[in-house]
Amino acid sequence: MEEISLQLLTYVNMLVFIMLYVFMSRYRKVVGFHLGMNIAMVTGGMLSLSVGVLLMVQYTFHFIAITCLSTILGMVAGGIFGALFDYQTMLTGLSNGLMVGIMAPMLGAILINPFLFIVMMEGLICLMIALLVISLRRS
Amino acid sequence: MFIVIILGIFNMLTTFICYFILRRKRALFGDRYAASITKAAVSVSALVVGIHISSAFTIHPSFIVLCSIMYGGVVGILFGALVKFHSILLGFYQGVLGSIMGVMIGEVLKNPQLCSIPLASAQQQFVMIYQMCGFSSLLLLFVFMLILYSLRV
């Protein structure tokens, strides 16, 4: 039961970020470069953090493979979200996604009781997505 | 451990070659362009060289942290002082942060019981160190290739 819920949570996280990309590509003409840089940093870091921690809690024996996967996923997410706006925005989001994604599986390996941490992390991700949507609607 | 030291020297050489290429064309830069290039290059270079220094030598950890922070600070100040001295603070902060993170990853690779990572056999630890160093060297080459490509855009 617990394994199925963790796998479902990982899938839902990736799906939410794909929906956020489709929602954001409608507002790309309105957003200035400063808000675009913040959006690229936040989305790359959040996606790689959640994927790294959730995969490391499930499969404990594959440390290097999970590190490579979460780093590449964070770089691709930061680059794609930044490429909506500018080239320098893409560079900033890519480097920030790399830095968070290479640290995330080590955080997942330390945890002894991972339930509370995962609940708090999902709450923070929901808060950040709500802030992003509000600041997009007001711009 | 010989391959790891050679890869670390290669990464430092890549960073300084990229610095001299950027220094020749510094009249073209604006303020925002200098800030974004400083952030990307300094954080990635300090992180990767921190991993290599920490996993190659087996001396006391505080001395490794000292050497890595000195490398990160020097590279941050060099890249920050390219255009107008505006981005020295950003470069120094990113260099120190990246080098501390790199030392932490290297210590975990040297002694996996710190993070309670289970190992299948005793040989797997060296395989983990080689895989991590090769992957991070590929990341550094990719990011510096993107930075040098941004001169033409």
Side-chain angles (χ1 to χ4, degrees):
Chain A
M1 185 60 202
E2 190 180 352
E3 295 180 358
I4 295 178
S5 64
L6 280 177
Q7 288 170 2
L8 204 63
L9 198 58
T10 313
Y11 178 67
V12 166
N13 262 320
M14 291 187 190
L15 204 64
V16 162
F17 277 94
I18 292 174
M19 285 168 59
L20 190 64
Y21 180 76
V22 175
F23 174 73
M24 201 171 290
S25 62
R26 283 190 292 164
Y27 285 91
R28 58 179 294 185
K29 301 289 184 187
V30 191
V31 177
F33 68 88
H34 208 151
L35 182 60
M37 189 171 285
N38 286 332
I39 284 172
M41 285 171 63
V42 166
T43 49
M46 282 293 163
L47 182 61
S48 61
L49 178 71
S50 66
V51 168
V53 170
L54 285 176
L55 281 182
M56 195 63 203
V57 169
Q58 300 173 45
Y59 310 107
T60 323
F61 279 95
H62 308 280
F63 180 67
I64 297 294
I66 293 174
T67 303
C68 297
L69 193 136
S70 95
T71 308
I72 290 175
L73 205 61
M75 284 168 63
V76 168
I80 285 180
F81 272 96
L84 284 176
F85 308 111
D86 199 358
Y87 192 84
Q88 306 175 20
T89 312
M90 194 199 85
L91 211 60
T92 308
L94 188 139
S95 73
N96 197 42
L98 187 151
M99 205 164 199
V100 180
I102 210 167
M103 298 296 294
M106 210 160 66
L107 183 60
I110 292 178
L111 298 176
I112 298 172
N113 185 14
F115 177 71
L116 277 177
F117 183 78
I118 287 176
V119 168
M120 199 188 75
M121 190 182 70
E122 293 299 322
L124 281 179
I125 289 176
C126 290
L127 181 68
M128 295 306 288
I129 288 176
L131 274 178
L132 276 188
V133 171
I134 288 174
S135 65
L136 273 180
R137 294 292 292 270
R138 289 183 56 170
S139 70
Chain B
M1 292 299 112
F2 190 62
I3 305 176
V4 178
I5 297 176
I6 288 181
L7 275 179
I9 294 173
F10 179 70
N11 287 329
M12 288 185 195
L13 278 182
T14 310
T15 306
F16 285 111
I17 287 172
C18 182
Y19 171 71
F20 284 118
I21 292 176
L22 284 179
R23 188 184 170 81
R24 230 188 300 156
K25 297 188 177 177
R26 63 182 166 174
L28 303 173
F29 294 172
D31 279 344
R32 182 176 166 239
Y33 187 64
S36 71
I37 275 185
T38 302
K39 190 172 178 185
V42 170
S43 65
V44 174
S45 170
L47 182 77
V48 172
V49 176
I51 292 175
H52 285 275
I53 289 177
S54 171
S55 62
F57 302 111
T58 56
I59 46 180
H60 198 264
S62 59
F63 192 65
I64 294 177
V65 172
L66 182 66
C67 294
S68 180
I69 282 180
M70 278 178 58
Y71 175 76
V74 167
V75 170
I77 290 176
L78 278 182
F79 270 92
L82 266 180
V83 186
K84 262 187 189 176
F85 302 105
H86 283 175
S87 49
I88 280 183
L89 192 60
L90 181 67
F92 188 72
Y93 169 67
Q94 290 287 335
V96 172
L97 188 71
S99 58
I100 289 177
M101 282 185 172
V103 169
M104 205 155 74
I105 295 175
E107 290 297 319
V108 169
L109 284 180
K110 257 195 313 190
N111 184 12
Q113 299 301 321
L114 281 178
C115 271
S116 67
I117 298 169
L119 287 178
S121 67
Q123 295 293 323
Q124 201 188 355
Q125 185 183 355
F126 297 104
V127 179
M128 274 172 66
I129 290 178
Y130 288 143
Q131 281 174 348
M132 196 74 193
C133 290
F135 178 67
S136 56
S137 300
L138 280 182
L139 280 184
L140 185 132
L141 279 182
F142 180 67
V143 171
F144 276 97
M145 203 175 66
L146 277 183
I147 288 173
L148 286 185
Y149 179 70
S150 75
L151 287 174
R152 299 181 196 164
V153 173

